[in-house]
Amino acid sequence: MKIHFDHLSGKLLKGISELSDILDISITDGEGIKIRVVQMEGPIQVALKDGQGLIRYQESIHFFRALGLFLE
């Protein structure tokens, strides 16, 4: 699956790069599903609407949990 992340920190990008083979995803600069990434207080939120994704998270570990949910 090709994914384009919007507003992704370098720290998270490094983690995703290490997991990309396991998760069977490719990180692109514009192709595939666009996922907007927002760090904020509160519970994680994962959504896909009109072909665009959203991940809201508080801590880095929450982002990776949310990404797993998104890929399910």
Side-chain angles (χ1 to χ4, degrees):
M1 173 186 301
K2 292 181 180 180
I3 298 176
H4 168 71
F5 290 100
D6 189 21
H7 297 103
L8 187 67
S9 73
K11 180 180 173 182
L12 295 177
L13 182 58
K14 183 178 178 188
I16 294 170
S17 295
E18 292 180 19
L19 293 172
S20 62
D21 287 338
I22 295 168
L23 298 175
D24 194 27
I25 61 173
S26 298
I27 303 164
T28 68
D29 287 330
E31 295 181 51
I33 297 172
K34 180 179 177 181
I35 301 176
R36 188 167 60 107
V37 179
V38 179
Q39 185 175 16
M40 57 183 271
E41 288 190 29
I44 62 172
Q45 182 181 5
V46 179
L48 179 63
K49 184 175 180 181
D50 299 326
Q52 295 202 4
L54 170 69
I55 293 178
R56 290 187 180 154
Y57 70 100
Q58 185 169 337
E59 303 291 332
S60 296
I61 189 72
H62 302 145
F63 168 80
F64 290 103
R65 175 65 181 132
L67 179 60
L69 291 171
F70 184 88
L71 294 174
E72 284 181 10

